[in-house]
Amino acid sequence: MKIRALQHCIATLALSLMLGAMASTTAAQGKNPYAGDAKIAKVGESQFRANCAFCHGLGARGGGRGPDLTRTPKKHGDSDAEIFNTVNSGVPGTAMPPNGATQQGVGMTEEEIWQVVTYIRSVEKKPGKITGDAQRGRELFYGGDGCATCHMFDGKGGRLGPDLTAAGTSRSTEYLVESLRNPSRRLAQGISEAMKEFSAEYETVEVMTNDRTNYKGTLLNEDSFTIQFIDLREQVHSFDKASLKSWKKSRQSLMPAYDEKALPEKDLQDLLAFLVGGAAGGDK
């Protein structure tokens, strides 16, 4: 009996090693075993919600810290194998951690990662057509009272709003248009502080000190006792809440809403062309 039991254990171990080797080979070859399978895509959606939606949003349309995964091409590779590797290994220097490295989700097996890849493929959309002039968009962005007054792009510009360097490649065209036309509808969440576990949104802060000095700016951080923000002159402030005469936060963005009168459709298309082309190196 002992010999049979030993033989059974050896056979089981050999089978496990063989299956593990097969799975590793599949991953190494970069072939998605579930490509185009609608049922597996549905299973992958559940895995995505548990492990990825915290950063990338429901429907993979992008969240505060994670890019929109429904768009193509993707910044860190667009093949199934490259997406698998991004999910599994993470992206050093960004908020994208290796698989299972954070408290969000419980980590995924190789099979489950392929299911997620299949789900991402199922929700991808063709990029919207942008008809604008990227060079003119650049001039609009950096000109006079343009976007660069508050936003950084490729190391140039202001700090009051989110850095837009990667916005064109990580956000959908629809998201960018909505951010310009109706910026208060969905506030950006910690794009400039992506490594924070819970990034503050770009809420508006108004503060009055005890000597009646008034400040207005965007929220950087807050806890039960203190508040930190950057004011309209790009000065960073930190106050004990108890020392203030008054303070309040608002979800009314400091960024004005650019309707078609303030930003005609042609100008909008030019700006979009710059954000997308400039982020990809197309303006150089």
Side-chain angles (χ1 to χ4, degrees):
M1 295 293 291
K2 290 183 177 179
I3 293 176
R4 287 184 180 178
L6 180 60
Q7 290 174 332
H8 177 73
C9 289
I10 292 173
T12 301
L13 177 60
L15 179 61
S16 297
L17 291 172
M18 182 179 70
L19 291 174
M22 289 173 63
S24 297
T25 301
T26 301
Q29 291 175 343
K31 293 181 179 179
N32 183 354
Y34 308 119
D37 190 323
K39 290 183 179 179
I40 292 297
K42 198 67 179 175
V43 176
E45 181 179 9
S46 298
Q47 290 293 338
F48 186 92
R49 284 173 176 262
N51 294 281
C52 313
F54 178 79
C55 291
H56 293 282
L58 297 177
R61 291 186 293 272
R65 298 187 298 174
D68 182 349
L69 299 180
T70 68
R71 62 175 296 143
T72 58
K74 294 174 175 54
K75 184 175 182 181
H76 300 290
D78 210 41
S79 70
D80 282 4
E82 289 169 323
I83 297 172
F84 180 100
N85 186 61
T86 299
V87 174
N88 192 48
S89 303
V91 181
T94 74
M96 180 66 188
N99 176 37
T102 71
Q103 295 179 354
Q104 302 303 323
V106 294
M108 294 178 284
T109 65
E110 288 184 355
E111 179 184 14
E112 290 167 340
I113 295 176
W114 282 126
Q115 291 169 356
V116 168
V117 174
T118 305
Y119 166 66
I120 291 172
R121 289 299 193 208
S122 74
V123 295
E124 284 181 341
K125 302 174 183 176
K126 291 182 179 179
K129 187 175 182 181
I130 298 175
T131 60
D133 179 341
Q135 183 56 44
R136 184 169 181 274
R138 181 185 183 88
E139 294 168 2
L140 289 170
F141 188 93
Y142 288 113
D145 295 323
C147 312
T149 304
C150 297
H151 297 280
M152 190 84 66
F153 191 97
D154 200 20
K156 294 171 59 180
R159 299 183 299 151
L160 191 60
D163 187 330
L164 299 181
T165 304
T169 55
S170 63
R171 296 288 186 258
S172 68
T173 302
E174 293 77 12
Y175 181 98
L176 296 175
V177 171
E178 181 182 75
S179 297
L180 285 161
R181 298 296 194 202
N182 188 5
S184 296
R185 182 175 180 182
R186 180 168 47 179
L187 297 178
Q189 184 181 25
I191 293 176
S192 64
E193 299 180 275
M195 296 306 293
K196 288 179 62 178
E197 186 65 22
F198 295 99
S199 299
E201 292 181 310
Y202 280 85
E203 295 178 284
T204 297
V205 177
E206 294 182 67
V207 161
M208 179 186 289
T209 62
N210 278 327
D211 64 2
R212 295 190 173 277
T213 301
N214 292 296
Y215 297 97
K216 191 173 186 178
T218 53
L219 180 67
L220 293 177
N221 196 21
E222 179 191 11
D223 57 35
S224 299
F225 306 102
T226 65
I227 188 167
Q228 293 83 40
F229 62 95
I230 182 170
D231 69 19
L232 300 179
R233 300 169 67 181
E234 295 194 354
Q235 300 297 309
V236 176
H237 301 274
S238 179
F239 289 107
D240 290 327
K241 292 178 179 178
S243 71
L244 297 172
K245 186 173 184 63
S246 66
W247 66 273
K248 67 177 182 178
K249 294 188 301 179
S250 167
R251 297 189 64 79
Q252 184 67 35
S253 175
L254 284 175
M255 179 174 167
Y258 288 90
D259 58 20
E260 290 199 21
K261 183 176 180 180
L263 185 69
E265 184 63 25
K266 185 183 183 308
D267 291 352
L268 173 64
Q269 288 296 318
D270 290 344
L271 271 176
L272 292 175
F274 166 66
L275 291 174
V276 174
D283 66 322
K284 297 178 181 180

